[in-house]
């Protein structure tokens, strides 16, 4: 099994990399800029015994997507994609959000993910010489809640991800490819600090029905199951991992 994880070097992506490495996947991890964190993640993953390759490539560019999947296909037969790179970028009402932030948010969280899914199904489709496989799209609970006053543009992009999961799953079912999603609620990563609200985890955690934020490993375990043969009859659906919200 050779699996590409976009944004695989930190947060939910890195936790997923650990889960999949334990499950026997060889990994290609994409990331944007943070070389030091990527190297440290790769070192700890290699302790599981599998191959781990790093590709620094911005998936908001066509060249970045090409570079990531070209490298992966040069390493073996790609059988998995965790379409995970994403960010909220900004917290505030839409009327106070600059147009370029709206565009960058939709570009990263939706357009890039659609293009990565496209690249993956071209490699995995049996009619194109692939072996089939699994695509997991990382959505968000925001896709159905809408994230009012916080980031409706991000929620709109993630709702697009859910439609991608529904439609692409049907389109490639005959190619031996399952397409599934996970929709995390609030999870303990630096995404919240990076968007400008360092205290978000403490503020929102108690409002979650289970009374706390989620941990990256809890999302990673859902992704690991969805990628496994135990989920062989699961496609075209998104699993909410959001503590009851
Ligand atoms: P994170 O900790 O901020 O990690 C983001 C990862 O994506 C990093 O590896 C980063 O690379 C990479 N990345 C960002 N922009 C990129 C680009 N343009 N090209 C390539 N790679 C890029 O994020 P996270 O919190 O784990 O979130 C992972 C996914 O879960 C996202 O899709 C997010 O929307 C979703 N999600 C998160 C939460 C949450 O509460 N954390 C909740 C719901 C959904 P660098 O390290 O180089 O920057």
């Amino acid at each position: 099994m050779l699996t590409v994880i976009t944004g695989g070097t930190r947060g939910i992506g890195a936790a997923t990399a650990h889960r999949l490495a334990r499950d026997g996947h060889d990994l290609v991890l994409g990331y944007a800029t943070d070389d030091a964190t990527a190297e440290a993640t790769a070192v700890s993953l290699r302790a599981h015994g599998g191959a781990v390759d790093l590709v620094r490539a911005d998936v908001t560019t066509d060249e970045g997507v090409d570079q990531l999947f070209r490298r992966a296909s040069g390493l073996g037969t790609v059988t998995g994609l965790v379409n995970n790179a994403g960010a909220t970028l900004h917290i505030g009402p839409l009327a106070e959000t600059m147009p370029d932030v709206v565009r960058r948010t939709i570009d990263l969280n939706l357009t890039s993910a659609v293009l990565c899914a496209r690249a993956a199904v071209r490699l995995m489709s049996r009619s194109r010489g692939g072996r089939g496989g699994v695509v997991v799209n990382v959505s968000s609970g925001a896709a159905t809640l809408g994230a009012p006053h916080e980031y409706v543009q991000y929620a709109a992009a993630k709702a697009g991800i859910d439609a991608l999961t529904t439609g692409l799953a049907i389109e490639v079912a005959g190619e031996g490819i399952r397409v599934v999603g996970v929709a995390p609620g609030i999870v303990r990563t630096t995404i919240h600090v990076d968007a400008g609200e360092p205290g978000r985890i403490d503020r929102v955690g108690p409002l979650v029905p289970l009374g706390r934020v989620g941990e990256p490993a809890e999302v990673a375990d859902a992704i690991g199951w969805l990628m496994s043969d135990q989920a062989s009859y699961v496609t075209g659906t998104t699993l909410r991992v959001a503590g009851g919200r």
Side-chain angles (χ1 to χ4, degrees):
M1 294 176 287
L2 175 59
T3 296
V4 176
I5 307 178
T6 66
T9 55
R10 289 196 284 125
I12 291 168
T16 301
H18 278 281
R19 162 70 198 233
L20 296 184
R22 286 199 303 276
D23 289 350
H25 294 242
D26 293 325
L27 297 169
V28 177
L29 308 181
Y31 68 103
T33 56
D34 187 347
D35 298 319
T37 299
E39 291 294 346
T41 300
V43 166
S44 64
L45 283 167
R46 287 183 187 122
H48 297 294
V52 180
D53 254 69
L54 296 173
V55 182
R56 177 175 169 159
D58 181 351
V59 290
T60 63
T61 67
D62 289 348
E63 305 76 57
V65 174
D66 283 352
Q67 193 188 335
L68 179 60
F69 287 90
R70 208 175 323 114
R71 173 83 76 84
S73 63
L75 295 170
T77 303
V78 175
T79 54
L81 167 65
V82 183
N83 215 353
N84 167 76
T88 47
L89 297 180
H90 167 88
I91 296 180
L94 181 60
E96 305 300 331
T97 305
M98 296 306 286
D100 79 294
V101 173
V102 172
R103 286 191 191 281
R104 283 195 291 120
T105 302
I106 294 173
D107 197 18
L108 173 59
N109 291 285
L110 180 56
T111 310
S112 300
V114 175
L115 291 173
C116 287
R118 175 184 180 274
V121 300
R122 286 172 69 88
L123 293 176
M124 292 181 199
S125 292
R126 287 182 179 149
S127 64
R128 292 174 175 268
R131 267 191 224 151
V134 186
V135 174
V136 180
N137 294 318
V138 180
S139 176
S140 169
T144 54
L145 298 173
H149 310 294
E150 295 198 315
Y151 27 66
V152 295
Q153 64 283 351
Y154 168 83
K158 292 297 193 182
I161 289 294
D162 292 353
L164 170 71
T165 298
T166 302
L168 188 61
I170 298 166
E171 199 166 290
V172 298
E175 297 284 357
I177 303 171
R178 292 186 296 110
V179 183
V180 289
V182 291
I186 182 164
V187 178
R188 191 187 308 279
T189 72
T190 55
I191 196 171
H192 316 288
V193 180
D194 295 343
E197 191 187 347
R200 186 158 191 269
I201 281 182
D202 295 331
R203 179 174 65 80
V204 177
L207 306 176
V208 176
L210 284 182
R212 61 175 179 84
V213 302
E215 299 298 332
E218 294 177 293
V219 181
D221 282 337
I223 294 172
W225 177 75
L226 285 166
M227 295 209 79
S228 77
D229 287 343
Q230 290 181 328
S232 53
Y233 202 55
V234 181
T235 196
T237 192
T238 295
L239 175 62
R240 209 172 180 88
V241 186
R245 279 182 98 195

